[in-house]
């Protein structure tokens, strides 16, 4: 006679062998590029290993605008996913509206307050209670370089904007695109904030984009930042309009372009293409920003559910995300660094090690600043106004930097 467990399996009663608490976790996100999809696959596997069912709700679009539109519809209709990729100030907005659930029990059990830097944990809380889980830390102000192109042209990697323009002229003369770029508002803003950080410095950057200081927003340093930002138009190709960021990264990987200014999620694309940091590509701080770190923290906010099994799965998801094993595997695939400061970095690549070193150093010396372009510095309303001004300026051939700086201040003021 067959063992009872074989008989049960044969007639389809597999639930007897599954964890009694198994539930479903539906996760809404916009991690859809090669490296990002690989990273999410890790989380899916870990949840399935715990007996839960994973329901992937991926909405393409690097800036997340399409995903947020879908999420609002689902939440308002009373059918939210278990977790959704939400960042920065938006976490507070969703919590204020009463949609997010309390994660304090898991946070206490897993000692989140001890393993997370305060600048991170504060963003994950609403009125002192955890409502979201940080997944990683991205450094946004990176310049990605194809060393073969530089060697072919005979130029050195630029460390200032003056050097950048000088090098870009020579690369362009050699018939190669100097800067790979995607003409989307959030990508324009990513490049702009790198230029602004170089010109303003961390203190005035924070004054402008976090504290909304009108004098800094409309001042001479901002005018200079806008002037240099506009000049970058001369070094991107005519087909940049509408291009996704990962397509631009592939241009650097393939040697069709020399450089890209993008957060370190771009490294996930190099990794997915079997490229090695320090050999096949180089990562250096964006020109003029070596002593600063513009951070973007990805996080999953947890929504209130009405199914006990799914709630248990949701708590297991929150617990799994911050454990060292997932932090290590996920961030290697994603290109980011662990959000926990106690994770062993020995097995990470040179770019990740440099990023973690800079993250810790700038947290101490004041050079750590939140990304405006990626929703960490200000509200979505203010960010939207900045995006409109910056993109219109960048795409207008004879735009006036001084007038645009005043317009930028007015636009921010209107959204406060």
């Amino acid at each position: 006679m067959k063992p009872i467990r074989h008989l049960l399996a044969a007639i389809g009663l597999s639930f007897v062998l599954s964890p009694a608490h198994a539930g479903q976790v539906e996760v809404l996100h916009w991690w859809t590029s090669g490296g990002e999809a690989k990273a999410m696959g890790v989380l899916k596997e870990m949840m399935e290993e715990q007996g839960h069912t994973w329901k992937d709700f991926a909405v393409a679009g690097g800036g997340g605008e399409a995903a947020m539109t879908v999420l609002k519809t689902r939440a308002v209709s009373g059918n939210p996913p278990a977790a959704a990729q939400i960042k920065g100030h938006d976490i507070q907005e969703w919590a204020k509206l009463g949609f997010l659930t309390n994660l304090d029990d898991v946070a206490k059990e897993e000692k989140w307050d001890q393993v997370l830097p305060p600048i991170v944990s504060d963003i994950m809380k609403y009125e002192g209670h955890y409502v979201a889980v940080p997944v990683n830390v991205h450094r946004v102000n990176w310049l990605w370089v194809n060393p073969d192109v530089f060697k072919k042209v005979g130029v050195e990697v630029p460390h200032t904007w003056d050097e950048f323009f000088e090098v870009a002229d020579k690369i362009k003369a050699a018939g190669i695109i100097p800067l790979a770029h995607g003409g989307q508002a959030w990508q324009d803003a990513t490049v702009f904030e790198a230029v602004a950080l170089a010109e303003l410095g961390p203190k005035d950057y924070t004054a402008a984009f976090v504290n909304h200081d009108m004098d800094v927003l409309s001042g001479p340093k901002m005018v200079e930042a806008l002037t240099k930002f506009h000049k970058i138009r001369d070094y991107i190709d005519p087909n940049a309009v509408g291009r996704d960021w990962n397509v631009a990264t592939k241009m650097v990987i393939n040697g069709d372009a020399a450089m890209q200014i993008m957060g370190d999620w771009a490294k996930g694309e190099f990794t997915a293409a079997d490229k090695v940091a320090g050999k096949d590509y180089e990562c250096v701080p964006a020109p003029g920003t070596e002593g600063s770190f513009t951070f973007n923290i990805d996080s999953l906010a947890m929504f209130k559910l009405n199914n006990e099994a799914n709630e248990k799965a949701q708590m297991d998801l929150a617990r799994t995300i911050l454990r060292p094993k997932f932090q290590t595997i996920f961030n290697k695939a994603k290109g980011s660094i662990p959000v926990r400061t106690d994770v062993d970095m020995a097995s990470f690549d040179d770019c990740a090690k440099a990023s973690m070193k800079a993250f810790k150093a700038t947290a101490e010396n004041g050079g750590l600043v939140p990304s405006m372009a990626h929703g960490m510095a200000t509200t979505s309303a203010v960010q939207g106004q900045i995006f409109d001004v910056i993109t219109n300026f960048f795409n207008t051939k004879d735009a006036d930097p001084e007038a645009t700086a005043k317009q930028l201040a007015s636009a921010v003021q209107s959204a406060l």
Side-chain angles (χ1 to χ4, degrees):
M1 186 174 180
K2 292 182 178 179
I4 187 67
R5 60 188 177 87
H6 289 168
L7 183 62
L8 289 172
I11 61 176
L13 297 179
S14 58
F15 66 86
V16 174
L17 305 177
S18 300
H21 61 261
Q24 175 180 278
V25 283
E26 183 180 18
V27 181
L28 185 151
H29 62 92
W30 60 88
W31 289 316
T32 56
S33 72
E36 292 174 329
K38 183 179 179 181
M40 283 306 285
V42 172
L43 187 56
K44 175 178 182 287
E45 289 174 10
M46 288 188 172
M47 292 308 295
E48 290 176 344
E49 285 173 1
Q50 296 176 59
H52 301 303
T53 301
W54 176 275
K55 186 175 181 181
D56 199 60
F57 190 178
V59 181
E65 295 87 356
M68 288 302 98
T69 300
V70 174
L71 177 60
K72 288 171 186 174
T73 301
R74 286 280 302 270
V76 171
S77 66
N79 181 34
Q85 185 182 354
I86 302 175
K87 299 188 303 182
H89 288 256
D90 286 348
I91 293 172
Q92 318 303 315
E93 292 300 314
W94 281 100
K96 189 176 181 180
L97 292 170
F99 285 106
L100 304 186
T101 196
N102 189 309
L103 304 176
D104 284 350
D105 287 346
V106 172
K108 185 177 181 181
E109 175 191 334
E110 297 289 317
K111 298 181 172 58
W112 288 1
D113 278 341
Q114 284 73 52
V115 300
L116 295 176
I119 196 170
V120 174
S121 58
D122 288 349
I123 296 170
M124 302 302 129
K125 295 176 180 178
Y126 175 69
E127 295 185 342
H129 301 287
Y130 278 99
V131 293
V133 189
V135 181
N136 54 10
V137 175
H138 280 295
R139 188 180 193 179
V140 182
N141 59 314
W142 277 123
L143 179 71
W144 303 95
V145 174
N146 183 316
D148 289 340
V149 172
F150 275 72
K151 186 176 180 180
K152 179 181 177 181
V153 179
V155 290
E156 299 293 325
V157 175
H159 296 285
T160 67
W161 280 107
D162 287 342
E163 289 177 3
F164 174 89
F165 295 126
E166 184 179 334
V167 166
D169 279 330
K170 293 177 180 177
I171 293 171
K172 186 176 180 180
I176 300 170
I177 299 165
L179 189 71
H181 184 62
Q184 298 171 343
W186 72 271
Q187 293 192 63
D188 292 342
T190 297
V191 175
F192 169 69
E193 77 174 10
V195 182
L197 180 58
E199 293 303 314
L200 298 173
K203 185 177 179 181
D204 279 346
Y205 173 98
T206 301
F209 301 120
V210 177
N211 301 325
H212 312 124
D213 185 312
M214 295 300 135
D215 290 336
V216 177
L217 281 165
S218 60
K221 288 184 180 179
M222 189 64 74
V223 173
E224 182 59 26
L226 287 164
T227 302
K228 288 180 177 172
F229 173 60
H230 199 270
K231 189 175 180 180
I232 291 172
R233 290 176 76 251
D234 297 337
Y235 303 103
I236 63 176
D237 66 294
N239 298 321
V241 178
R243 178 186 290 143
D244 286 334
W245 70 268
N246 53 309
V247 176
T249 304
K250 286 183 176 68
M251 292 168 64
V252 180
I253 293 172
N254 298 333
D256 297 323
M259 300 172 279
Q260 181 186 21
I261 293 172
M262 186 54 61
D264 53 17
W265 47 92
K267 183 156 63 71
E269 297 305 294
F270 285 98
T271 301
D274 295 322
K275 301 300 181 182
V276 178
K279 177 187 173 185
D280 302 310
Y281 67 96
E282 294 179 20
C283 54
V284 296
T289 69
E290 188 168 347
S292 303
F293 189 118
T294 316
F295 71 82
N296 173 24
I297 299 172
D298 284 318
S299 51
L300 291 177
M302 303 292 169
F303 282 73
K304 290 179 180 176
L305 304 176
N306 53 18
N307 177 287
E308 188 175 343
N310 291 349
E311 286 176 352
K312 176 63 172 65
Q314 182 186 53
M315 293 301 118
D316 284 345
L317 174 66
R319 185 178 291 106
T320 300
I321 288 169
L322 266 180
R323 287 194 167 161
K325 181 181 178 182
F326 174 74
Q327 283 282 306
T328 298
I329 297 173
F330 179 88
N331 285 294
K332 282 183 178 179
K334 185 74 163 61
S336 45
I337 59 173
V339 72
R340 295 177 61 128
T341 55
D342 62 345
V343 173
D344 184 1
M345 296 295 292
S347 62
F348 282 77
D349 62 49
D350 290 348
C351 291
K353 289 175 181 175
S355 187
M356 179 61 85
K357 183 178 179 180
F359 178 56
K360 291 179 177 179
T362 55
E364 294 291 329
N365 65 24
L368 185 64
V369 297
S371 170
M372 172 278 295
H374 296 274
M376 304 305 299
T378 187
T379 65
S380 55
V382 171
Q383 182 196 51
Q385 291 292 334
I386 295 173
F387 276 22
D388 287 346
V389 172
I390 292 306
T391 292
N392 289 336
F393 171 74
F394 194 61
N395 292 302
T396 301
K397 186 176 180 181
D398 299 317
D400 181 349
E402 193 167 338
T404 302
K406 293 177 181 176
Q407 184 186 358
L408 182 63
S410 296
V412 169
Q413 182 69 56
S414 70
L416 296 178

